Amino acid sequence: MAPRKIIIDTDPGQDDAVAILLALASPDDLDVLGITAVAGNVPLPLTQKNARIVCELAGKPETKVFSGCDAPIARKLVTAEHVHGKTGLDGPSLPDPSMALQDQHAVDFIVETLRSEPEGTITLCPLGPLTNIATALQRAPDIAGRIQEIVLMGGAYFEVGNITPAAEFNIYVDPEAAKVVFACGAPITVMPLDVTHKALVTAERNNAFRALGSPVGVAVAEMTDFFERFDKEKYGSAGAPLHDPCVTAYLIQPELFTGRHINVEIETGSDLTLGMTVADWWGVTDRAPNATFMGDINADGFFSLLTERLARL
Ligand code: BDR
Ligand code: CA
């Protein structure tokens, strides 16, 4: 089968970096048409630079990286340096990129690709706030019906929130954008905190990355070491959750995940619960299902896949 064509929309972020590395390590499964950077974990000048650093780390400087929206649709940007460090990619010491950024704006690239490729053949993989994707949908509503699937990391139901008591970071940063995306009618698969909080990088799993002995394996181990300090303290867990790679792993091995096709709405009105993903997991409303909301992961299978693929870079 031909590899699935994807656009990764991202705000690297160490876990975004690992998600990108997994995709770039899997060319038989995934054809990365472009990486579109958005403001999120850190401001846009850093996320677009980090995306290029990661492509070069993977030995794939030919990957197209585009810069997108520098602020949410209707709000001031909230960032997460307290988790990811000042650069967004703190941990390993990686060289500045020499590959160029594409001239085209990320939103234009998303619109143009969806219009020019055959209908139903492009999958969008948002790993950060949904600003670029929602802006593309607002500018060109015709693209919604052309999307094969949107597989995104964001939201939570049973785990509720990580940036506020009620909201997950990616949705909280741009709830208006999330509302547009969840209402767009394209098939949506969600990797919420309910899943990603089970994808914990234990010491043993991190040692397996380091033991690859390659620049990629060592960098991934160092990235994880860095952001773990925050999550371990916060959750008292055995390791940090590796959120975003759940998206690219799902595209390679969907059977690692289970969930339900349900209705998911985004709270944009209440200050208290802003950005909450109101997921009708128990089917207690008659609101139409609009997303497959994952609930569980085979974590051992996920880490085996990840380690095996990173070894290829
Ligand atoms: C999400 O927020 C970011 O900090 C991570 O990169 C991930 O995409 C988890 O809530
Ligand atoms: Ca992210």
mmCIF file of all heavy atoms in Angstrom, residues 233-274:
data_model
loop_
_atom_site.group_PDB
_atom_site.id
_atom_site.type_symbol
_atom_site.label_atom_id
_atom_site.label_comp_id
_atom_site.label_asym_id
_atom_site.label_seq_id
_atom_site.Cartn_x
_atom_site.Cartn_y
_atom_site.Cartn_z
ATOM 1 N N GLU A 233 7.045 15.489 39.041
ATOM 2 C CA GLU A 233 6.734 16.250 40.250
ATOM 3 C C GLU A 233 5.237 16.535 40.331
ATOM 4 O O GLU A 233 4.611 16.401 41.381
ATOM 5 C CB GLU A 233 7.505 17.562 40.191
ATOM 6 C CG GLU A 233 7.660 18.237 41.521
ATOM 7 C CD GLU A 233 8.541 19.467 41.365
ATOM 8 O OE1 GLU A 233 9.688 19.321 40.866
ATOM 9 O OE2 GLU A 233 8.066 20.546 41.701
ATOM 10 N N LYS A 234 4.664 16.868 39.181
ATOM 11 C CA LYS A 234 3.255 17.250 39.158
ATOM 12 C C LYS A 234 2.343 16.057 39.428
ATOM 13 O O LYS A 234 1.399 16.135 40.201
ATOM 14 C CB LYS A 234 2.950 17.836 37.780
ATOM 15 C CG LYS A 234 1.524 18.275 37.553
ATOM 16 C CD LYS A 234 1.464 18.995 36.205
ATOM 17 C CE LYS A 234 0.067 19.252 35.746
ATOM 18 N NZ LYS A 234 0.034 19.667 34.346
ATOM 19 N N TYR A 235 2.633 14.939 38.750
ATOM 20 C CA TYR A 235 1.722 13.787 38.823
ATOM 21 C C TYR A 235 2.192 12.719 39.813
ATOM 22 O O TYR A 235 1.447 11.791 40.115
ATOM 23 C CB TYR A 235 1.569 13.128 37.454
ATOM 24 C CG TYR A 235 0.981 14.042 36.398
ATOM 25 C CD1 TYR A 235 1.750 14.473 35.310
ATOM 26 C CD2 TYR A 235 -0.338 14.467 36.466
ATOM 27 C CE1 TYR A 235 1.222 15.315 34.339
ATOM 28 C CE2 TYR A 235 -0.875 15.310 35.503
ATOM 29 C CZ TYR A 235 -0.095 15.731 34.446
ATOM 30 O OH TYR A 235 -0.612 16.548 33.493
ATOM 31 N N GLY A 236 3.453 12.803 40.245
ATOM 32 C CA GLY A 236 3.990 11.743 41.095
ATOM 33 C C GLY A 236 4.038 10.424 40.346
ATOM 34 O O GLY A 236 3.929 9.345 40.936
ATOM 35 N N SER A 237 4.214 10.484 39.023
ATOM 36 C CA SER A 237 4.172 9.275 38.196
ATOM 37 C C SER A 237 5.579 8.742 37.955
ATOM 38 O O SER A 237 6.574 9.385 38.264
ATOM 39 C CB SER A 237 3.504 9.590 36.852
ATOM 40 O OG SER A 237 4.173 10.667 36.229
ATOM 41 N N ALA A 238 5.627 7.557 37.341
ATOM 42 C CA ALA A 238 6.914 6.903 37.089
ATOM 43 C C ALA A 238 7.648 7.518 35.906
ATOM 44 O O ALA A 238 8.790 7.179 35.627
ATOM 45 C CB ALA A 238 6.678 5.419 36.833
ATOM 46 N N GLY A 239 7.004 8.392 35.192
ATOM 47 C CA GLY A 239 7.643 9.015 34.030
ATOM 48 C C GLY A 239 6.690 10.007 33.408
ATOM 49 O O GLY A 239 5.526 10.093 33.793
ATOM 50 N N ALA A 240 7.196 10.755 32.423
ATOM 51 C CA ALA A 240 6.362 11.778 31.793
ATOM 52 C C ALA A 240 5.529 11.184 30.665
ATOM 53 O O ALA A 240 5.965 10.259 29.984
ATOM 54 C CB ALA A 240 7.253 12.877 31.238
ATOM 55 N N PRO A 241 4.338 11.732 30.451
ATOM 56 C CA PRO A 241 3.542 11.263 29.315
ATOM 57 C C PRO A 241 4.100 11.770 27.990
ATOM 58 O O PRO A 241 4.464 12.939 27.877
ATOM 59 C CB PRO A 241 2.154 11.873 29.577
ATOM 60 C CG PRO A 241 2.297 12.853 30.671
ATOM 61 C CD PRO A 241 3.666 12.759 31.246
ATOM 62 N N LEU A 242 4.175 10.880 27.033
ATOM 63 C CA LEU A 242 4.649 11.245 25.695
ATOM 64 C C LEU A 242 3.414 11.469 24.822
ATOM 65 O O LEU A 242 2.961 10.581 24.108
ATOM 66 C CB LEU A 242 5.524 10.096 25.168
ATOM 67 C CG LEU A 242 6.658 10.419 24.209
ATOM 68 C CD1 LEU A 242 7.437 11.653 24.593
ATOM 69 C CD2 LEU A 242 7.577 9.221 24.086
ATOM 70 N N HIS A 243 2.879 12.703 24.887
ATOM 71 C CA HIS A 243 1.569 12.977 24.275
ATOM 72 C C HIS A 243 1.545 12.815 22.749
ATOM 73 O O HIS A 243 0.822 11.985 22.207
ATOM 74 C CB HIS A 243 1.152 14.425 24.585
ATOM 75 C CG HIS A 243 1.167 14.798 26.029
ATOM 76 N ND1 HIS A 243 0.158 14.436 26.890
ATOM 77 C CD2 HIS A 243 2.048 15.525 26.766
ATOM 78 C CE1 HIS A 243 0.417 14.930 28.088
ATOM 79 N NE2 HIS A 243 1.557 15.583 28.043
ATOM 80 N N ASP A 244 2.273 13.690 22.073
ATOM 81 C CA ASP A 244 2.069 13.844 20.622
ATOM 82 C C ASP A 244 2.433 12.619 19.776
ATOM 83 O O ASP A 244 1.794 12.394 18.734
ATOM 84 C CB ASP A 244 2.831 15.084 20.117
ATOM 85 C CG ASP A 244 2.260 16.375 20.699
ATOM 86 O OD1 ASP A 244 1.081 16.379 21.101
ATOM 87 O OD2 ASP A 244 2.991 17.375 20.759
ATOM 88 N N PRO A 245 3.416 11.816 20.168
ATOM 89 C CA PRO A 245 3.712 10.639 19.344
ATOM 90 C C PRO A 245 2.538 9.652 19.262
ATOM 91 O O PRO A 245 2.529 8.794 18.375
ATOM 92 C CB PRO A 245 4.916 9.999 20.047
ATOM 93 C CG PRO A 245 5.546 11.115 20.792
ATOM 94 C CD PRO A 245 4.416 11.988 21.242
ATOM 95 N N CYS A 246 1.548 9.791 20.147
ATOM 96 C CA CYS A 246 0.369 8.920 20.036
ATOM 97 C C CYS A 246 -0.316 9.138 18.682
ATOM 98 O O CYS A 246 -0.892 8.206 18.118
ATOM 99 C CB CYS A 246 -0.622 9.192 21.177
ATOM 100 S SG CYS A 246 0.006 8.656 22.775
ATOM 101 N N VAL A 247 -0.239 10.362 18.164
ATOM 102 C CA VAL A 247 -0.886 10.669 16.875
ATOM 103 C C VAL A 247 -0.192 9.912 15.745
ATOM 104 O O VAL A 247 -0.844 9.219 14.948
ATOM 105 C CB VAL A 247 -0.862 12.197 16.619
ATOM 106 C CG1 VAL A 247 -1.225 12.515 15.188
ATOM 107 C CG2 VAL A 247 -1.810 12.897 17.586
ATOM 108 N N THR A 248 1.123 10.031 15.674
ATOM 109 C CA THR A 248 1.811 9.383 14.547
ATOM 110 C C THR A 248 1.841 7.865 14.732
ATOM 111 O O THR A 248 1.782 7.119 13.754
ATOM 112 C CB THR A 248 3.220 9.984 14.329
ATOM 113 O OG1 THR A 248 3.837 10.263 15.592
ATOM 114 C CG2 THR A 248 3.125 11.299 13.569
ATOM 115 N N ALA A 249 1.873 7.403 15.986
ATOM 116 C CA ALA A 249 1.816 5.948 16.215
ATOM 117 C C ALA A 249 0.472 5.399 15.756
ATOM 118 O O ALA A 249 0.392 4.313 15.169
ATOM 119 C CB ALA A 249 2.036 5.640 17.698
ATOM 120 N N TYR A 250 -0.583 6.143 16.007
ATOM 121 C CA TYR A 250 -1.924 5.697 15.592
ATOM 122 C C TYR A 250 -1.985 5.501 14.074
ATOM 123 O O TYR A 250 -2.608 4.562 13.577
ATOM 124 C CB TYR A 250 -2.974 6.714 16.040
ATOM 125 C CG TYR A 250 -4.328 6.476 15.443
ATOM 126 C CD1 TYR A 250 -5.172 5.481 15.947
ATOM 127 C CD2 TYR A 250 -4.768 7.216 14.343
ATOM 128 C CE1 TYR A 250 -6.415 5.238 15.373
ATOM 129 C CE2 TYR A 250 -6.001 6.985 13.771
ATOM 130 C CZ TYR A 250 -6.821 5.996 14.281
ATOM 131 O OH TYR A 250 -8.042 5.758 13.707
ATOM 132 N N LEU A 251 -1.327 6.401 13.349
ATOM 133 C CA LEU A 251 -1.364 6.312 11.880
ATOM 134 C C LEU A 251 -0.590 5.095 11.370
ATOM 135 O O LEU A 251 -0.871 4.584 10.299
ATOM 136 C CB LEU A 251 -0.794 7.588 11.258
ATOM 137 C CG LEU A 251 -1.642 8.835 11.525
ATOM 138 C CD1 LEU A 251 -0.916 10.082 11.073
ATOM 139 C CD2 LEU A 251 -2.991 8.715 10.821
ATOM 140 N N ILE A 252 0.360 4.635 12.161
ATOM 141 C CA ILE A 252 1.165 3.482 11.746
ATOM 142 C C ILE A 252 0.539 2.184 12.267
ATOM 143 O O ILE A 252 0.449 1.197 11.542
ATOM 144 C CB ILE A 252 2.613 3.630 12.290
ATOM 145 C CG1 ILE A 252 3.264 4.894 11.724
ATOM 146 C CG2 ILE A 252 3.448 2.397 11.947
ATOM 147 C CD1 ILE A 252 4.559 5.295 12.412
ATOM 148 N N GLN A 253 0.091 2.193 13.511
ATOM 149 C CA GLN A 253 -0.466 0.983 14.134
ATOM 150 C C GLN A 253 -1.742 1.329 14.914
ATOM 151 O O GLN A 253 -1.722 1.404 16.154
ATOM 152 C CB GLN A 253 0.569 0.382 15.089
ATOM 153 C CG GLN A 253 1.046 -0.995 14.640
ATOM 154 C CD GLN A 253 2.151 -1.524 15.531
ATOM 155 O OE1 GLN A 253 3.325 -1.273 15.287
ATOM 156 N NE2 GLN A 253 1.788 -2.238 16.576
ATOM 157 N N PRO A 254 -2.854 1.545 14.207
ATOM 158 C CA PRO A 254 -4.090 1.990 14.882
ATOM 159 C C PRO A 254 -4.593 1.011 15.934
ATOM 160 O O PRO A 254 -5.250 1.419 16.892
ATOM 161 C CB PRO A 254 -5.097 2.132 13.728
ATOM 162 C CG PRO A 254 -4.495 1.443 12.557
ATOM 163 C CD PRO A 254 -3.020 1.426 12.746
ATOM 164 N N GLU A 255 -4.232 -0.255 15.784
ATOM 165 C CA GLU A 255 -4.744 -1.267 16.729
ATOM 166 C C GLU A 255 -4.156 -1.099 18.137
ATOM 167 O O GLU A 255 -4.606 -1.757 19.077
ATOM 168 C CB GLU A 255 -4.512 -2.686 16.187
ATOM 169 C CG GLU A 255 -3.055 -3.099 16.000
ATOM 170 C CD GLU A 255 -2.415 -2.598 14.686
ATOM 171 O OE1 GLU A 255 -3.038 -1.790 13.962
ATOM 172 O OE2 GLU A 255 -1.270 -3.013 14.410
ATOM 173 N N LEU A 256 -3.190 -0.213 18.293
ATOM 174 C CA LEU A 256 -2.651 0.061 19.638
ATOM 175 C C LEU A 256 -3.634 0.871 20.489
ATOM 176 O O LEU A 256 -3.458 1.000 21.691
ATOM 177 C CB LEU A 256 -1.345 0.859 19.537
ATOM 178 C CG LEU A 256 -0.120 0.149 18.937
ATOM 179 C CD1 LEU A 256 1.023 1.147 18.754
ATOM 180 C CD2 LEU A 256 0.319 -1.010 19.840
ATOM 181 N N PHE A 257 -4.665 1.438 19.836
ATOM 182 C CA PHE A 257 -5.562 2.375 20.534
ATOM 183 C C PHE A 257 -7.015 1.903 20.453
ATOM 184 O O PHE A 257 -7.416 1.301 19.465
ATOM 185 C CB PHE A 257 -5.454 3.766 19.898
ATOM 186 C CG PHE A 257 -4.061 4.323 19.927
ATOM 187 C CD1 PHE A 257 -3.151 4.039 18.907
ATOM 188 C CD2 PHE A 257 -3.630 5.104 20.990
ATOM 189 C CE1 PHE A 257 -1.857 4.536 18.943
ATOM 190 C CE2 PHE A 257 -2.345 5.604 21.034
ATOM 191 C CZ PHE A 257 -1.448 5.322 20.016
ATOM 192 N N THR A 258 -7.774 2.203 21.504
ATOM 193 C CA THR A 258 -9.219 1.938 21.452
ATOM 194 C C THR A 258 -9.964 3.174 21.959
ATOM 195 O O THR A 258 -9.457 3.927 22.802
ATOM 196 C CB THR A 258 -9.626 0.738 22.338
ATOM 197 O OG1 THR A 258 -9.090 0.948 23.646
ATOM 198 C CG2 THR A 258 -9.118 -0.570 21.776
ATOM 199 N N GLY A 259 -11.162 3.378 21.423
ATOM 200 C CA GLY A 259 -11.945 4.538 21.832
ATOM 201 C C GLY A 259 -13.387 4.416 21.402
ATOM 202 O O GLY A 259 -13.846 3.318 21.062
ATOM 203 N N ARG A 260 -14.096 5.527 21.438
ATOM 204 C CA ARG A 260 -15.516 5.540 21.086
ATOM 205 C C ARG A 260 -15.804 6.686 20.130
ATOM 206 O O ARG A 260 -15.211 7.773 20.274
ATOM 207 C CB ARG A 260 -16.372 5.758 22.332
ATOM 208 C CG ARG A 260 -16.304 4.629 23.316
ATOM 209 C CD ARG A 260 -17.270 4.894 24.455
ATOM 210 N NE ARG A 260 -17.130 3.843 25.456
ATOM 211 C CZ ARG A 260 -17.897 3.715 26.518
ATOM 212 N NH1 ARG A 260 -18.865 4.581 26.747
ATOM 213 N NH2 ARG A 260 -17.709 2.717 27.370
ATOM 214 N N HIS A 261 -16.727 6.459 19.223
ATOM 215 C CA HIS A 261 -17.176 7.519 18.322
ATOM 216 C C HIS A 261 -18.286 8.282 19.040
ATOM 217 O O HIS A 261 -19.371 7.747 19.248
ATOM 218 C CB HIS A 261 -17.673 6.900 17.017
ATOM 219 C CG HIS A 261 -17.913 7.920 15.944
ATOM 220 N ND1 HIS A 261 -16.945 8.826 15.547
ATOM 221 C CD2 HIS A 261 -18.993 8.195 15.189
ATOM 222 C CE1 HIS A 261 -17.426 9.602 14.603
ATOM 223 N NE2 HIS A 261 -18.678 9.250 14.361
ATOM 224 N N ILE A 262 -18.009 9.515 19.437
ATOM 225 C CA ILE A 262 -18.930 10.250 20.320
ATOM 226 C C ILE A 262 -19.009 11.724 19.908
ATOM 227 O O ILE A 262 -18.263 12.181 19.047
ATOM 228 C CB ILE A 262 -18.464 10.190 21.802
ATOM 229 C CG1 ILE A 262 -17.056 10.807 21.941
ATOM 230 C CG2 ILE A 262 -18.499 8.762 22.321
ATOM 231 C CD1 ILE A 262 -16.625 11.025 23.373
ATOM 232 N N ASN A 263 -19.874 12.447 20.589
ATOM 233 C CA ASN A 263 -19.933 13.896 20.399
ATOM 234 C C ASN A 263 -18.924 14.581 21.329
ATOM 235 O O ASN A 263 -18.839 14.249 22.517
ATOM 236 C CB ASN A 263 -21.346 14.424 20.702
ATOM 237 C CG ASN A 263 -21.403 15.935 20.582
ATOM 238 O OD1 ASN A 263 -21.195 16.661 21.547
ATOM 239 N ND2 ASN A 263 -21.638 16.422 19.384
ATOM 240 N N VAL A 264 -18.187 15.525 20.769
ATOM 241 C CA VAL A 264 -17.244 16.328 21.563
ATOM 242 C C VAL A 264 -17.492 17.800 21.237
ATOM 243 O O VAL A 264 -17.446 18.189 20.063
ATOM 244 C CB VAL A 264 -15.770 15.967 21.240
ATOM 245 C CG1 VAL A 264 -14.820 16.804 22.090
ATOM 246 C CG2 VAL A 264 -15.512 14.479 21.454
ATOM 247 N N GLU A 265 -17.793 18.582 22.242
ATOM 248 C CA GLU A 265 -17.987 20.027 22.065
ATOM 249 C C GLU A 265 -16.931 20.772 22.874
ATOM 250 O O GLU A 265 -16.415 20.248 23.862
ATOM 251 C CB GLU A 265 -19.391 20.452 22.542
ATOM 252 C CG GLU A 265 -20.539 19.719 21.842
ATOM 253 C CD GLU A 265 -20.683 20.067 20.362
ATOM 254 O OE1 GLU A 265 -20.247 21.170 19.971
ATOM 255 O OE2 GLU A 265 -21.203 19.228 19.604
ATOM 256 N N ILE A 266 -16.645 22.000 22.438
ATOM 257 C CA ILE A 266 -15.583 22.790 23.087
ATOM 258 C C ILE A 266 -16.202 23.965 23.838
ATOM 259 O O ILE A 266 -16.986 24.723 23.268
ATOM 260 C CB ILE A 266 -14.598 23.348 22.035
ATOM 261 C CG1 ILE A 266 -14.115 22.248 21.070
ATOM 262 C CG2 ILE A 266 -13.432 24.064 22.720
ATOM 263 C CD1 ILE A 266 -13.324 21.135 21.705
ATOM 264 N N GLU A 267 -15.795 24.132 25.080
ATOM 265 C CA GLU A 267 -16.285 25.265 25.882
ATOM 266 C C GLU A 267 -15.490 26.532 25.520
ATOM 267 O O GLU A 267 -14.263 26.555 25.645
ATOM 268 C CB GLU A 267 -16.112 24.942 27.372
ATOM 269 C CG GLU A 267 -16.494 26.069 28.295
ATOM 270 C CD GLU A 267 -17.947 26.502 28.142
ATOM 271 O OE1 GLU A 267 -18.843 25.663 28.298
ATOM 272 O OE2 GLU A 267 -18.172 27.703 27.852
ATOM 273 N N THR A 268 -16.193 27.563 25.078
ATOM 274 C CA THR A 268 -15.506 28.828 24.765
ATOM 275 C C THR A 268 -16.062 29.998 25.576
ATOM 276 O O THR A 268 -15.540 31.110 25.482
ATOM 277 C CB THR A 268 -15.635 29.192 23.258
ATOM 278 O OG1 THR A 268 -17.020 29.210 22.924
ATOM 279 C CG2 THR A 268 -14.909 28.223 22.366
ATOM 280 N N GLY A 269 -17.126 29.756 26.350
ATOM 281 C CA GLY A 269 -17.798 30.856 27.025
ATOM 282 C C GLY A 269 -17.362 31.080 28.461
ATOM 283 O O GLY A 269 -17.141 32.209 28.882
ATOM 284 N N SER A 270 -17.166 29.989 29.188
ATOM 285 C CA SER A 270 -16.926 30.101 30.628
ATOM 286 C C SER A 270 -15.454 30.340 30.953
ATOM 287 O O SER A 270 -14.582 29.621 30.457
ATOM 288 C CB SER A 270 -17.377 28.799 31.302
ATOM 289 O OG SER A 270 -16.641 28.575 32.479
ATOM 290 N N ASP A 271 -15.160 31.328 31.775
ATOM 291 C CA ASP A 271 -13.774 31.535 32.203
ATOM 292 C C ASP A 271 -13.264 30.335 32.992
ATOM 293 O O ASP A 271 -12.117 29.930 32.886
ATOM 294 C CB ASP A 271 -13.688 32.766 33.109
ATOM 295 C CG ASP A 271 -13.682 34.042 32.289
ATOM 296 O OD1 ASP A 271 -13.477 33.942 31.059
ATOM 297 O OD2 ASP A 271 -13.921 35.118 32.870
ATOM 298 N N LEU A 272 -14.150 29.763 33.784
ATOM 299 C CA LEU A 272 -13.752 28.680 34.684
ATOM 300 C C LEU A 272 -13.371 27.403 33.932
ATOM 301 O O LEU A 272 -12.411 26.715 34.297
ATOM 302 C CB LEU A 272 -14.921 28.386 35.643
ATOM 303 C CG LEU A 272 -14.630 27.568 36.881
ATOM 304 C CD1 LEU A 272 -13.562 28.250 37.737
ATOM 305 C CD2 LEU A 272 -15.915 27.390 37.689
ATOM 306 N N THR A 273 -14.103 27.094 32.889
ATOM 307 C CA THR A 273 -13.864 25.817 32.186
ATOM 308 C C THR A 273 -13.468 26.044 30.727
ATOM 309 O O THR A 273 -13.629 25.152 29.890
ATOM 310 C CB THR A 273 -15.115 24.911 32.261
ATOM 311 O OG1 THR A 273 -16.223 25.624 31.683
ATOM 312 C CG2 THR A 273 -15.437 24.520 33.676
ATOM 313 N N LEU A 274 -12.906 27.210 30.432
ATOM 314 C CA LEU A 274 -12.504 27.544 29.061
ATOM 315 C C LEU A 274 -11.637 26.431 28.452
ATOM 316 O O LEU A 274 -10.678 25.973 29.063
ATOM 317 C CB LEU A 274 -11.703 28.852 29.075
ATOM 318 C CG LEU A 274 -11.317 29.390 27.698
ATOM 319 C CD1 LEU A 274 -12.552 29.872 26.944
ATOM 320 C CD2 LEU A 274 -10.316 30.535 27.842
#
